[in-house]
Amino acid sequence: MLLDPLLVKAARGDVVSRPPTWMMRQAGRYMDVYKKLAEKHPSFRERSETTDLIVEISLQPWRAFQPDGVIIFSDILTPLPAFGVPFDIEEVRGPVIQSPISSEEGLKALHPIDLEKVSFVGESLRILRQEVGEEAAVLGFVGAPWTIATYIVEGGTT
């Protein structure tokens, strides 16, 4: 049985030997190793929806800096296609939804989330947990309903 990582202990309110560390923007886009991988796999969607790439990118900063938290490489809009909203991520513009929802009909076209379409998230989290063991917490994230709704209605960043 694994012991809880320092970040989990601190979050629970346990007394810890030092404050835990983790880094925002931990994906390491500033790192040469990430830039090389991104050249080989230029699509952000490919990098953020392919289990092997997600794991590799998530572990790059952890291997380099050993923070107490490993953040899954993902995007806040990852679940959109799983309930019927296709989107793309353009290099300069960011997320783009070609057919934003602007009517009740558009809203009715949404369907309950199909978890199979986002199975790469759970699989990546399982692999990351195995890779880092008790040395670090594994952190996942997704956009909150309000954030996702604003993208769906606006069609992207406004």
Side-chain angles (χ1 to χ4, degrees), residues 12-62:
R12 192 173 46 226
D14 295 351
V15 175
V16 293
S17 60
R18 62 174 174 78
T21 60
W22 63 279
M23 295 173 274
M24 214 40 196
R25 297 286 181 201
Q26 195 163 311
R29 293 182 196 183
Y30 52 87
M31 298 175 71
D32 287 338
V33 66
Y34 175 84
K35 291 176 183 176
K36 288 177 185 169
L37 188 141
E39 285 175 10
K40 190 174 177 183
H41 302 277
S43 164
F44 184 89
R45 292 279 308 272
E46 177 190 6
R47 293 191 305 271
S48 66
E49 296 179 9
T50 304
T51 302
D52 294 343
L53 295 175
I54 293 167
V55 170
E56 176 58 30
I57 294 167
S58 300
L59 290 175
Q60 288 172 348
W62 185 73

Side-chain angles (χ1 to χ4, degrees), residues 36-140:
K36 288 177 185 169
L37 188 141
E39 285 175 10
K40 190 174 177 183
H41 302 277
S43 164
F44 184 89
R45 292 279 308 272
E46 177 190 6
R47 293 191 305 271
S48 66
E49 296 179 9
T50 304
T51 302
D52 294 343
L53 295 175
I54 293 167
V55 170
E56 176 58 30
I57 294 167
S58 300
L59 290 175
Q60 288 172 348
W62 185 73
R63 289 177 181 138
F65 306 114
Q66 293 292 302
D68 297 308
V70 173
I71 302 166
I72 187 172
F73 183 75
S74 189
D75 186 78
I76 61 172
L77 300 181
T78 293
L80 288 182
F83 55 87
V85 180
F87 77 101
D88 199 9
I89 297 180
E90 296 179 3
E91 193 65 35
V92 176
R93 288 179 59 195
V96 177
I97 296 167
Q98 297 299 332
S99 300
I101 294 178
S102 59
S103 67
E104 188 173 345
E105 294 78 35
L107 189 60
K108 288 179 180 178
L110 298 177
H111 55 73
I113 194 164
D114 178 355
L115 294 176
E116 272 303 306
K117 290 186 177 179
V118 289
S119 62
F120 56 87
V121 174
E123 182 63 21
S124 298
L125 289 169
R126 277 188 288 283
I127 294 168
L128 288 168
R129 175 81 269 139
Q130 291 171 341
E131 288 288 324
V132 301
E134 63 189 57
E135 294 180 51
V138 176
L139 307 169

